[in-house]
Amino acid sequence: MRSWRGAIALLATMVWAYASLDTWQRHLIFHSNSYMKETPQDRSLAFSDQWIDVENGRIHGWWIPGNSAKAPAVLFFHGNAGSISSEIE
C-alpha cells in the first residue's frame, strides 16, 4: 500500500512539474508587436513590404535593395523582443 502512495505521489509531482515548465516556457516565446517605430523610408531608403504565409499566420519583412545589382542579399532576423522597426540604426 505504501509503495502505491509513493508511486502516485511521484507521478503527481512529475505531472505538476511538466505542466509548470510547459506554462513557464510559453512565456519565453516571442510575442509579436505590430507597432512600427520607423520604416526604412524614414531613413531615406527605398523599400517594399514583403509577406510570407506560414502555417499559423504571416511573417512580415522589408526588402531594401542594394546599390548594385551584384550586391549580395542579407537575411536579418531581429530576434526576440521588439520588432523589425526597432533595428533600423
Side-chain angles (χ1 to χ4, degrees):
M1 184 73 141
R2 211 168 160 200
S3 64
W4 281 103
R5 287 183 188 165
I8 291 172
L10 177 61
L11 180 61
T13 302
M14 290 172 60
V15 168
W16 173 84
Y18 173 79
S20 297
L21 286 173
D22 183 63
T23 301
W24 176 70
Q25 67 88 23
R26 289 179 189 277
H27 292 287
L28 299 176
I29 295 172
F30 175 71
H31 299 282
S32 64
N33 179 355
S34 60
Y35 170 73
M36 289 292 167
K37 182 178 172 183
E38 62 181 331
T39 68
Q41 185 176 10
D42 297 327
R43 300 288 179 117
S44 301
L45 295 170
F47 81 104
S48 63
D49 284 303
Q50 302 294 313
W51 295 91
I52 301 170
D53 292 322
V54 294
E55 186 175 327
N56 294 321
R58 298 175 83 194
I59 297 173
H60 175 247
W62 291 326
W63 173 255
I64 304 171
N67 295 333
S68 165
K70 293 183 179 182
V74 176
L75 180 60
F76 176 77
F77 295 97
H78 63 79
N80 195 6
S83 71
I84 192 172
S85 69
S86 59
E87 300 298 326
I88 304 175
E89 293 186 17

